[in-house]
Amino acid sequence: MTAAANRLDELREVLLMGPGPSCVPPAVYHALARPTIGHLDPRFLTIMEDIKALLRQVMGTANSLTLPVSGTGSAGMETSFVNLIEGGDRVLILSNGVFGQRMADVAGRLRAEVEALEFPWGTPVVPEAVRERLAAKEYDIVAVVHAETSTGVRNPVAEIGELVRPTGALYLVDTVTSLGGIPVTMDAWGADVMYSGTQKCLSCPPGLSPVSFSPRAVAKLQARAAKVPNWYLDLTMIIKYWEGASRVYHHTAPINMLYGLYQALRSIVDEGLEQVFTRHRQGHEQLVAGLAEMGIDMLVDAPFRLPMLNAVKVPDGIQEAAVRKTLLEQYDIEIGAGLGPLAGRIWRIGLMGHTARPENVTRVLDALRAALKQQRAAD
Ligand SMILES: Cc1ncc(COP(=O)(O)O)c(C=O)c1O
């Protein structure tokens, strides 16, 4: 019997311009393929130490508890809530898209008293409305998504931090899509908890979630009356592997994924954070100008647009799914669809990490122009 064809041989490089994952640079692929060593090997421990230091630099924090959780961005979200919430805690979620909704779902499952302050999709969280809510009621945790991937909106996290801080609530910020693409300054924002993911602007494959807890967040964790109700994500145990002279096995670290993250962070720091942000902004400006020439508008008002996630209005009369199919099948380019109320109305064009380069913007604009022409000619 002959062996079935190896599916991996059929894979070819796709230009990943959707909401993530983004394109992985050769240096990160190379890192992933380095020899697997033991997770308690002293050489691996030095890599772990470097990863923590690099994460602090990229996340803008001095927090001692800063490490990558095993699992995708949602594992970071779950880690943040499950370690902090105790039954009956009052949690306020500032929500304007899918990931705000997911936060409310995660917090609700932990028997928190969850309230969502909702804002229309495609618009930012309004600080004045947050101020009013915080004046009316006390909360233990206030949470917001920095870069709402479902809509392309940047929320004003620094302004919100100023409002949350005096109330004494812990401030939790999702930076899954923003980290490594726009400035993320955890300590300057007064954020107590932050998590991210590897497959967006860090340009590493999906699989790890950087998480950071401030000393105030650690104090709440240590003061818990009951154990963290999830074994795998319990930071009180995980830190015993990530910190201290004698490392205690918790679960086998995903060694090669951590090599990938190490290299991805090094590449960002070597290029320079400011330069990385400029590259994202310039790619975004090039894209918006090219789309405008085609008569295509953006969903979000200019001051609140994310450079790495462009929510683009589908022109009238165009079948958006057919355009995405053409881009993938004929041009090897992936772009994303709209979600929830924006399904069918927008495309989401990602310019994340290694993808955010002028030649890629030119490629997607040319392909989109051709696909639209093709569809209009067929009508
Ligand atoms: C803002 C935001 N938060 C959380 C997540 C969840 O991350 P993951 O899909 O890696 O679990 C995503 C994923 O797209 C995201 O964009």
Side-chain angles (χ1 to χ4, degrees):
M1 200 181 98
T2 49
N6 186 331
R7 301 289 178 204
L8 300 180
D9 292 339
E10 296 163 13
L11 294 179
R12 39 175 202 201
E13 187 100 31
V14 171
L15 177 54
L16 295 169
M17 302 193 87
S22 59
C23 295
V24 175
V28 172
Y29 279 134
H30 181 69
L32 290 164
R34 304 295 289 175
T36 304
I37 60 176
H39 64 111
L40 291 167
D41 185 316
R43 286 164 300 180
F44 188 65
L45 301 184
T46 62
I47 294 173
M48 291 165 67
E49 286 305 294
D50 285 2
I51 290 174
K52 288 191 292 181
L54 286 161
L55 279 179
R56 286 186 195 110
Q57 196 175 341
V58 173
M59 295 170 99
T61 182
N63 291 339
S64 164
L65 203 180
T66 302
L67 52 81
V69 165
S70 306
T72 63
S74 305
M77 186 188 287
E78 194 101 42
T79 299
S80 301
F81 284 110
V82 83
N83 279 275
L84 287 183
I85 289 177
E86 293 189 272
D89 274 359
R90 293 147 306 173
V91 178
L92 178 66
I93 313 279
L94 311 173
S95 176
N96 54 349
V98 166
F99 295 99
Q101 288 182 337
R102 187 177 297 184
M103 279 181 166
D105 187 4
V106 169
R109 287 166 194 240
L110 297 165
R111 295 202 217 18
E113 205 187 281
V114 182
E115 285 174 29
L117 183 55
E118 309 252 4
F119 300 85
W121 289 35
T123 71
V125 169
V126 178
E128 201 41 46
V130 178
R131 185 198 305 277
E132 280 169 22
R133 179 60 73 94
L134 293 179
K137 189 168 169 185
E138 277 184 23
Y139 296 93
D140 299 291
I141 299 171
V142 177
V144 68
V145 177
H146 185 205
E148 185 39 91
T149 325
S150 59
T151 64
V153 166
R154 181 181 54 78
N155 281 319
V157 289
E159 288 95 314
I160 297 166
E162 281 171 24
L163 301 174
V164 175
R165 192 78 189 166
T167 70
L170 292 176
Y171 184 35
L172 187 158
V173 183
D174 172 317
T175 59
V176 170
T177 284
S178 52
L179 189 70
I182 50 177
V184 166
T185 52
M186 180 170 188
D187 291 355
W189 295 341
D192 294 291
V193 183
M194 218 169 75
Y195 60 87
S196 189
T198 43
Q199 76 274 21
K200 314 265 187 183
C201 296
L202 301 183
S203 272
C204 199
L208 292 171
S209 178
V211 167
S212 186
F213 272 41
S214 73
R216 289 177 71 227
V218 172
K220 180 155 172 30
L221 171 62
Q222 284 169 344
R224 291 183 69 95
K227 277 185 180 179
V228 174
N230 178 307
W231 186 89
Y232 193 69
L233 302 175
D234 181 343
L235 285 173
T236 64
M237 294 195 292
I238 292 173
I239 48 178
K240 292 183 185 148
Y241 171 59
W242 276 88
E243 274 175 14
S246 60
R247 306 291 173 124
V248 182
Y249 162 70
H250 177 255
H251 64 274
T252 309
I255 311 285
N256 292 55
M257 274 308 302
L258 288 159
Y259 297 162
L261 176 60
Y262 169 78
Q263 181 58 51
L265 293 168
R266 280 191 68 120
S267 299
I268 287 175
V269 168
D270 287 350
E271 184 179 347
L273 276 172
E274 283 308 319
Q275 173 51 30
V276 169
F277 301 149
T278 303
R279 184 161 52 71
H280 282 82
R281 186 173 38 75
Q282 288 174 344
H284 164 75
E285 286 165 359
Q286 183 189 348
L287 180 72
V288 173
L291 291 168
E293 273 174 28
M294 284 188 241
I296 300 180
D297 297 327
M298 305 294 289
L299 174 76
V300 178
D301 287 346
F304 305 107
R305 285 178 196 157
L306 293 169
M308 73 288 283
L309 195 290
N310 296 273
V312 172
K313 287 188 186 165
V314 176
D316 285 345
I318 292 295
Q319 293 164 27
E320 74 83 20
V323 171
R324 282 187 292 114
K325 189 162 179 265
T326 304
L327 257 51
L328 188 59
E329 288 179 357
Q330 294 179 25
Y331 298 91
D332 289 328
I333 301 175
E334 180 182 276
I335 65 170
L339 300 175
L342 297 174
R345 290 177 48 208
I346 61 164
W347 289 304
R348 291 182 299 151
I349 303 184
L351 285 171
M352 298 181 177
H354 189 59
T355 304
R357 289 170 196 282
E359 60 273 25
N360 293 337
V361 178
T362 304
R363 225 178 112 185
V364 76
L365 286 170
D366 288 349
L368 196 56
R369 203 177 291 111
L372 291 174
K373 196 171 163 197
Q374 197 175 314
Q375 194 177 110
R376 285 180 176 131
D379 283 347

